[in-house]
Structures are given as C-alpha cells and as structure tokens.
Amino acid sequence: MNILVINCGSSSLKFQLINSESEQCIAKGLCERIGIEGSRITYTPAGGEKEQTVTAMPDHTEAIRLVLEALTNEKTGVVKSLEEIGAVGHRVVHGGEKFAESVIIDDQVLAAIEACNELAPLHNPANLIGIDACRKLMPGTPMVAVFDTAFHQTMPEEAYMYGLPVEYYEKYKIRRYGFHGTSHSYVSRRAAEVLRVPYEALKTIVCHLGNGASVSAVKNGRCVDTSMGLTPLEGLIMGTRCGDIDPAIMEFLAHKENKSIDEIMNILNKKSGVLGLSNYLSSDFRDLEDGYHKGDAYAICAMKTFAYRVAKYIGAYAAAMNGVDLICFTAGVGENSPLVRTLVCEYLGYLGVAVDQEANGKRGEDIVISTPDSRTKVMVVPTNEELAIARETVRLV
Ligand code: AMP
C-alpha cells in the first residue's frame, strides 16, 4: 500500500509517499510560502530529478491539490491515480492527554484535536488545516493522526507534574507532555533491533538533537521522562530556543528592556539557543563548528554549553531509570556532528562510556560508536519520522 505522509505547518507542507511493503520513499517534496506571495512546490520522485515550480498557493487545499497533481503527473508522477494512495498519515503536534496513540481520523477525533489547539497554537491549527484539505480532496481515503506527544503519555506523574499549584493542572492541564515522540519511539525501537536485544529489556536515552532538540528516557519500551514540557521550549538549548532557564528571567528582562510578554516569548523562541549564545553567529551547527575550530569564543561557548546541557540530561535520566544501557544520538546534529557527540560523551566517563573515534566519524547509518568494552553502549541511529508515521498509518488502516 502507498501511504501519503503529510507534515503541515502554517505556511509550509512537507510530504512523502511511502510504499509500506518496501518501506521505501517513492516521492517527496515541500510546499513553501502557502498563502504568501512567491509560493512554490518542490517535488522529487525517487531516483529522479528534483523540480521546483513557482505557482500560486492561496491556501492549503490548493497546496495539497498541487501535491496530488505532482504525484499523479503523466510524466514525472509515481502513481497513475489517487486510488493508488491507500491512506494518509498526518503528523499532529499536540494530542494533549487525550491521545496516547495514533488514531483514525473522524469528526470526533478532529474535535478532540481542536480542543488541544491552545496547547500548541502555532502548530495544531496548521495540522488541522492540512487534514481538512486532504479530506476535501480525497474523501474516500482513510486518514490517521500521529501525535508528537503520544509516545510520552506513559510518563509517570512524578515526571510530568510541575511544581505549581495543582489547580492549574486540574483546570488547564498544565503539565509536561514532551514532543518529537515519533522520533524517540522510532529510534529507541530501531536501536534495539540493530543490537538484537528485546526492546523491553533496555534502558535507553535518546538524544534527538536537531534544530529543535529533546532527550527522552525509555525504560523497558516505555517513555518515563522527556526534556520538552508543556511546549517545545523547555529542556535542551536548541537552535534558537532557550530551553531551561530561571522563569524569573522573564520578568527581569521585561522590566529592563521594556518588553511585553509576547516580545519576551519571541526572544526565548527565536533569538536564543545557540543562535543567541553565539552572539547571533548562527543557529546552524555547521557554522558553529566552523567557528569552534577557528577559535571564535562565542561559537566555542555555544557548542560547549549545548553539549553540557545534553550531558546533564543524560545524567538525570540515568538516575531516573536507575541505570542506562544505551545512549542514542539522532536528528540533524545528533546524526551529523561527531564533534557534538564527542563533547557530550566526554562527560560520561562515570557511565563507562568509551567512544570509538573511527566509528564516530562515519555518517548516515545505524552504527555503534562506543568501543566493545564501553560499559554503556552509544549509537547513532538516523531518525525517520515519515516512515514511523507511515507504519502507524498502515497498522491502523
Ligand atoms: P533537523 O532539525 O533534525 O533537521 O536538524 C537541522 C540541523 O542539523 C541544522 O540546523 C544543523 O544545525 C544540523 N546539521 C545538519 N547537517 C549537519 C552537519 N553536517 N554537521 C553539523 N550539523 C549539521
């Protein structure tokens, strides 16, 4: 069966068509600047040329219509008709406490997702628009929602409650939810598979280090803690997000700089992280690594502070699980930066971690990067959220 995987943002939409038997991506692409002047669609069939077309996309329905047209195009398409698309899997960012698993989408589910909108005001409404547009254009095709938060719903109370008056949990459901769940689930399972160890027998820490970054603790196949919180702002230092800070800084800064809550939130989300720490050099680790090697003091500080925070979370989660067997690195930085992995692992001597630098230099494969006698194993496992969404979709339909 061919599964169309849709990841819909407010002005962009990523898609992949995946064959569920071969688990290969048959075509993929991206619609950008939806509803904005200069919108364009990029489309790449597997083994074919990437093509980019600048064309008007006043809304998401038009974007999805163009995606379906590209997939069925006589010359460059990969399927003859929409009937060859068996189901659609939608990434949905926030499922609140309602969704601990993926679900088949119907009107009731849509209403329940909408009820989570205020927990993720930047993401969920866009996800819903994408679902709505797909339902209009493919009315008979089953659709599945796969939530970023679902995998973390197994966390125990002591991991998800904040030290706030409990009435705010009871009234507004303010608690830790965690994100990147599809990736944490995929990577922790895949690592067990590669090691040929039962998933349920492992204590694994997954470090998803991308532009957004989070760590999770997976004990016996269940997530027991994760670093992102009510929103994806908490936890690690990220590309542009601050991660954990003293909450009193917000008031202090607001007074000093005469800024509103919205302006402060914008700084914490868009101007902080390694971008802010590097004195606005870059949020991209390729640039920061360049700076690090050239001796740029800001870049060095950004890289070291980033790695230190990751190492602190690993320590915390080793404590939370009363031990750790395996540490996995994944996502853009985790998969591609031997330097970041080295900086993090330098803190992990107490866990008996020893890194094999030759393996650490390799790229693009599931690989153990610790030495054979390393007490805790360390791996790089490339994440594949689209494949994980396609698998969930097939499982449900
Ligand atoms: P993601 O959010 O998982 O797509 O990760 C994107 C980030 O990965 C980029 O912003 C870069 O910081 C980082 N990245 C990608 N390629 C490399 C590389 N070769 N070396 C270091 N960092 C990289």
Side-chain angles (χ1 to χ4, degrees), residues 93-378:
V93 167
H94 218 307
E97 284 189 328
K98 175 92 187 163
F99 297 105
E101 285 211 38
S102 312
V103 281
I104 298 211
I105 296 171
D106 59 20
D107 290 339
Q108 257 180 335
V109 166
L110 282 183
I113 296 174
E114 206 175 333
C116 302
N117 276 5
E118 64 178 4
L119 294 172
L122 297 179
H123 295 100
N124 266 33
N127 302 153
L128 281 168
I129 290 170
I131 294 172
D132 197 47
C134 266
R135 295 221 307 169
K136 271 193 202 128
L137 294 167
M138 308 170 80
T141 310
M143 313 231 168
V144 169
V146 181
F147 301 92
D148 269 26
T149 48
F151 181 61
H152 305 303
Q153 277 296 305
T154 49
M155 280 187 290
E157 195 174 58
E158 61 270 28
Y160 71 69
M161 287 302 286
Y162 288 119
L164 290 169
V166 71
E167 62 176 300
Y168 300 132
Y169 170 65
E170 289 168 352
K171 276 200 270 192
Y172 310 121
K173 294 287 170 218
I174 293 180
R175 51 159 282 181
R176 175 182 312 288
Y177 289 95
F179 300 86
H180 296 138
T182 317
S183 176
H184 287 286
S185 161
Y186 174 87
V187 168
S188 53
R189 265 174 219 282
R190 176 75 193 136
E193 219 172 87
V194 172
L195 295 177
R196 296 169 193 261
V197 179
Y199 188 43
E200 293 72 24
L202 282 174
K203 292 174 183 172
T204 305
I205 295 174
V206 179
C207 306
H208 176 111
L209 312 179
N211 201 26
S214 64
V215 188
S216 70
V218 185
K219 186 179 183 184
N220 311 131
R222 291 163 72 82
C223 176
V224 295
D225 207 346
T226 192
S227 58
M228 281 177 167
L230 173 76
T231 75
L233 188 55
E234 192 182 348
L236 298 180
I237 291 167
M238 309 183 208
T240 63
R241 285 173 238 162
C242 60
D244 301 336
I245 57 168
D246 178 346
I249 291 171
M250 297 181 68
E251 190 205 20
F252 187 88
L253 249 188
H255 285 315
K256 287 281 182 199
E257 296 268 315
N258 193 25
K259 288 197 189 305
S260 67
I261 284 277
D262 284 354
E263 287 170 317
I264 295 291
M265 288 309 291
N266 193 49
I267 292 170
L268 302 186
N269 271 301
K270 306 244 171 88
K271 298 194 172 145
S272 302
V274 288
L275 173 69
L277 264 173
S278 67
N279 201 21
Y280 308 115
L281 173 66
S282 178
S283 63
D284 192 310
F285 277 75
R286 284 163 285 204
D287 303 327
L288 296 172
E289 281 194 27
D290 262 1
Y292 181 94
H293 292 303
K294 284 181 188 145
D296 179 299
Y298 291 122
I300 292 171
C301 172
M303 296 281 292
K304 284 179 141 179
T305 314
F306 175 85
Y308 179 68
R309 179 76 55 90
V310 177
K312 279 216 294 193
Y313 266 97
I314 291 173
Y317 290 168
M321 296 192 289
N322 192 17
V324 52
D325 304 308
L326 170 66
I327 296 163
C328 296
F329 287 94
T330 194
V333 180
E335 290 167 29
N336 294 304
S337 176
L339 175 61
V340 165
R341 296 192 296 258
T342 300
L343 291 175
V344 172
C345 289
E346 274 171 4
Y347 289 102
L348 307 180
Y350 71 100
L351 294 173
V353 165
V355 173
D356 170 348
Q357 281 305 343
E358 196 187 319
N360 189 32
K362 292 192 180 150
R363 192 164 279 179
E365 51 185 310
D366 303 312
I367 189 170
V368 175
I369 62 164
S370 49
T371 60
D373 56 356
S374 179
R375 183 150 47 85
T376 305
K377 274 200 167 35
V378 184

Side-chain angles (χ1 to χ4, degrees), residues 43 51 68-81:
Y43 169 76
E51 53 182 69
L68 299 177
E69 199 175 276
L71 292 170
T72 53
N73 182 283
E74 253 181 40
K75 279 194 196 137
T76 51
V78 288
V79 290
K80 288 202 184 70
S81 76

